[in-house]
Amino acid sequence: MFELGNATFENYIGQEQGFSEMAYQMVAHVLTLGYAVMLAGLFYFILTIKTVAPKYRTSSVLSVVVMVSAFLLLYAQANNWTDSFVFDAEKGLYFLGADADLFNNGYRYLNWLIDVPMLLFQILFVVTLTKSKFSSIRNQFWFSGAMMIITGYIGQFYEVTDLTAFFVWGAISTAFFFHILFLMNKVIKEGKEGIPEKAQKTLQGIWVLFLVSWFLYPGAYLMPHLIGIEGGFFNESGVVGRQMTYTIADVSSKVIYGILLTQVAQILSKHEGYKEEI
Ligand code: RET
């Protein structure tokens, strides 16, 4: 047994209880699914770029940036998982290897530091703001996006060792999160004004998708403590649950969100008389 300090709870479970074959493989598979979808998304955003008028294309370019960074991160995250835990043939379980790397979700947070500002910025190239100023919304998105991630990144180091720090940093992060939700709601409301009904409906769908998928991240942060302290999810179910939640959230907030924005841009391009170039 070695001292794990600020390591995340996945390592504690891997050291003390071990992972069953099913739990270990489910995490490995869901992480692989994650990066495979990002690569597929990359092709989608490149191949559809000319289906929208030039002024909307920055949105597709930003999706490409998000796909590349998420692909690399999720690839590293999947390898981190298989490098950290080793099969113990005697017990039939996977344990944290003696000289293995620790498993850490911190890579994700640093990836979000790139992706969150890009995803928020992206929508501003598709909608037309009627009252707010582009630069003001952009700067507030970036500031609160970065602060939300940095404070959450610090907090996640304390999920096992210091729950007060964990919840306080989480609460500070949540304040920035609510600011982002408030801004996004305003952007979508203004964006719906005066555009074709089909595009309005898709924008409304983007708002619902945004709400659901972005709320999954704080859910994953809280995962080990969702059912009480060291309770229901401080075990391998919590580990599998967290990685599944992240994957669903990543596919929704990056890929499906980008596809819906492309669809809005396609409707608007057509409405404005743009003929698709092939
Ligand atoms: C944290 C810390 C706990 C409190 C809150 C959080 C919110 C995280 C969010 C992340 C969104 C990430 C996205 C990534 C896409 O690439 C940091 C987990 C509120 C909302 C959309």
Side-chain angles (χ1 to χ4, degrees):
M1 290 284 169
F2 13 87
E3 181 50 60
L4 288 177
N6 278 347
T8 44
F9 94 115
E10 289 87 349
N11 302 288
Y12 282 85
I13 309 297
Q15 183 175 63
E16 287 155 22
Q17 304 160 16
F19 294 106
S20 65
E21 172 68 10
M22 192 167 168
Y24 174 87
Q25 297 296 359
M26 280 173 86
V27 172
H29 297 160
V30 89
L31 288 171
T32 305
L33 173 70
Y35 70 74
V37 174
M38 298 304 146
L39 192 60
L42 176 65
F43 283 100
Y44 173 88
F45 294 113
I46 293 174
L47 293 171
T48 54
I49 195 158
K50 288 199 170 164
T51 63
V52 301
K55 68 173 182 174
Y56 300 117
R57 289 184 190 164
T58 308
S59 169
S60 304
V61 172
L62 292 172
S63 273
V64 167
V65 172
V66 168
M67 292 301 106
V68 172
S69 82
F71 172 80
L72 292 173
L73 158 276
L74 290 170
Y75 186 75
Q77 193 82 53
N79 285 327
N80 184 198
W81 176 258
T82 46
D83 289 345
S84 299
F85 304 105
V86 189
F87 188 63
D88 178 331
E90 233 165 74
K91 299 206 174 86
L93 295 169
Y94 292 79
F95 285 93
L96 189 62
D99 6 79
D101 282 350
L102 295 187
F103 183 73
N104 195 281
N105 294 296
Y107 301 109
R108 288 187 182 276
Y109 286 69
L110 297 187
N111 165 256
W112 302 341
L113 211 45
I114 305 169
D115 288 355
V116 161
M118 294 302 125
L119 292 169
L120 294 170
F121 193 26
Q122 184 176 3
I123 193 167
L124 300 178
F125 288 93
V126 176
V127 304
T128 307
L129 299 173
T130 49
K131 295 182 208 77
S132 313
K133 247 182 87 194
F134 180 95
S135 60
S136 155
I137 298 277
R138 178 198 60 201
N139 294 345
Q140 293 184 67
F141 266 164
W142 285 6
F143 178 75
S144 286
M147 291 304 286
M148 172 181 84
I149 305 302
I150 293 167
T151 51
Y153 174 72
I154 300 171
Q156 55 95 31
F157 280 110
Y158 297 110
E159 68 180 23
V160 180
T161 49
D162 184 350
L163 290 185
T164 310
F166 174 71
F167 285 114
V168 169
W169 285 109
I172 300 173
S173 173
T174 305
F176 291 110
F177 180 42
F178 282 131
H179 181 226
I180 294 171
L181 291 177
F182 165 80
L183 290 172
M184 185 54 99
N185 184 263
K186 194 153 89 169
V187 166
I188 291 189
K189 261 202 196 125
E190 290 185 24
K192 282 200 288 194
E193 283 170 31
I195 61 169
E197 208 189 310
K198 210 170 143 209
Q200 282 185 15
K201 283 211 179 105
T202 314
L203 260 187
Q204 184 56 29
I206 290 176
W207 170 241
V208 175
L209 175 83
F210 185 85
L211 265 187
V212 174
S213 62
W214 283 54
F215 262 103
L216 291 175
Y217 292 94
Y221 179 89
L222 289 173
M223 191 64 81
H225 308 300
L226 268 186
I227 319 182
I229 307 298
E230 307 237 344
F233 276 148
F234 203 94
N235 53 33
E236 64 173 27
S237 311
V239 174
V240 177
R242 177 183 268 174
Q243 299 307 323
M244 286 175 95
T245 306
Y246 276 141
T247 303
I248 296 169
D250 280 347
V251 172
S252 313
S253 69
K254 302 185 224 253
V255 186
I256 303 179
Y257 170 80
I259 293 175
L260 291 181
L261 277 177
T262 305
Q263 285 177 359
V264 173
Q266 284 168 339
I267 300 167
L268 297 180
S269 302
K270 204 169 164 197
H271 185 71
E272 290 156 10
Y274 173 75
K275 294 254 183 320
E276 187 173 320
E277 293 169 30
I278 302 284

